[in-house]
Amino acid sequence: DAGVIQSPRHEVTEMGQEVTLRCKPISGHDYLFWYRQTMMRGLELLIYFNNNVPIDDSGMPEDRFSAKMPNASFSTLKIQPSEPRDSAVYFCASNRLAVQDTQYFGPGTRLTVL
Amino acid sequence: GQQVMQIPQYQHVQEGEDFTTYCNSSTTLSNIQWYKQRPGGHPVFLIQLVKSGEVKKQKRLTFQFGEAKKNSSLHITATQTTDVGTYFCADNYQLIWGAGTKLIIKP
């Protein structure tokens, strides 16, 4: 299997622009997680899905952030409008059977908002 | 909400010295998973501990889960340059992560 796939790997945008990050989980995995990592705040769980349904979005920082999972093989994290403080590495992870199972992370998207 | 405190934040060691990172919780943990993130990389699963007092070894790495399931540690014996990275603990049943300990090898 190819592992978790994320695109783009790097994104540079200007403040106020819309940003869409994409994730393809490992085939057959039922759970998908979105994380944000910064030096200041470490690794933060933003939202997770089970069978394409959002289960817990309490980590989503504010209304500018939204996430969708239209099918089992695709998820997006959208920031609109983006702000410089959104600059971070965004990881997507998936796992198979239960929320506490091993998480497999994608390579991440490094977002820079100017 | 519940937090897992991980210490130290950084540890500088000479190659060949030992390294230890600790995770502590004020409440009982469901399980503990340990992940390693190489510089510029993504977290990669190392091991999971479930039982009270559990000890597991992977070559030079020893993982322990406390008797009360409120703390855990990762010990690396005789560090090598390939050990460089940030080590995270996580209770992924409750979806809480430690802040990570960065292992730095002194030149």
Side-chain angles (χ1 to χ4, degrees), chain B residues 53-92:
Chain B
E54 191 169 11
V55 178
K56 288 188 177 180
K57 293 191 176 185
Q58 288 179 349
K59 298 182 181 178
R60 295 178 293 103
L61 279 61
T62 302
F63 304 83
Q64 292 188 320
F65 202 8
E67 292 289 343
K69 298 183 73 173
K70 291 184 176 182
N71 57 75
S72 181
S73 64
L74 158 58
H75 180 82
I76 303 177
T77 303
T79 54
Q80 300 175 358
T81 55
T82 53
D83 297 324
V84 163
T86 301
Y87 293 83
F88 293 94
C89 62
D91 177 344
N92 271 329

Side-chain angles (χ1 to χ4, degrees), chain A residues 12-77:
Chain A
V12 180
T13 190
E14 293 190 345
M15 182 173 64
Q17 296 297 306
E18 178 179 295
V19 175
T20 300
L21 311 181
R22 297 172 176 79
C23 174
K24 177 178 167 56
I26 293 172
S27 178
H29 280 197
D30 296 324
Y31 288 83
L32 184 140
F33 306 82
W34 281 102
Y35 290 88
R36 177 172 69 176
Q37 187 173 42
T38 61
M39 289 293 293
M40 291 297 295
R41 300 177 67 90
L43 193 64
E44 302 173 273
L45 176 65
L46 301 177
I47 185 172
Y48 79 94
F49 296 82
N50 177 217
N51 292 323
N52 314 337
V53 177
I55 303 300
D56 185 351
D57 65 355
S58 59
M60 295 285 264
E62 48 198 274
D63 292 346
R64 297 184 297 106
F65 285 69
S66 62
K68 293 182 180 179
M69 192 164 186
N71 57 61
S73 59
F74 184 64
S75 178
T76 59
L77 178 67

Side-chain angles (χ1 to χ4, degrees), chain A residues 33 35 37 43 45 48 91 99-103 105-107, chain B residues 10 31 33 35 37 41-43 45 48 88 92-93 95 97:
Chain A
F33 306 82
Y35 290 88
Q37 187 173 42
L43 193 64
L45 176 65
Y48 79 94
F91 289 106
V99 69
Q100 67 268 30
D101 283 347
T102 302
Q103 292 189 18
F105 282 75
Chain B
Y10 300 92
N31 62 25
Q33 295 179 349
Y35 291 76
Q37 183 177 21
H42 57 276
F45 175 78
Q48 176 167 287
F88 293 94
N92 271 329
Y93 188 80
L95 294 172
W97 287 67

Side-chain angles (χ1 to χ4, degrees), chain A residues 66-97:
Chain A
S66 62
K68 293 182 180 179
M69 192 164 186
N71 57 61
S73 59
F74 184 64
S75 178
T76 59
L77 178 67
K78 187 177 291 187
I79 308 172
Q80 166 63 18
S82 58
E83 297 182 3
R85 60 193 168 117
D86 302 330
S87 298
V89 179
Y90 290 82
F91 289 106
C92 174
S94 68
N95 69 19
R96 217 178 126 226
L97 292 175

Side-chain angles (χ1 to χ4, degrees), chain A residues 5-12 19-23 77 90 107-111:
Chain A
I5 298 172
Q6 290 188 247
S7 65
R9 293 293 307 276
H10 301 273
E11 176 82 34
V12 180
V19 175
T20 300
L21 311 181
R22 297 172 176 79
C23 174
L77 178 67
Y90 290 82
T109 295
R110 181 173 295 277
L111 173 65

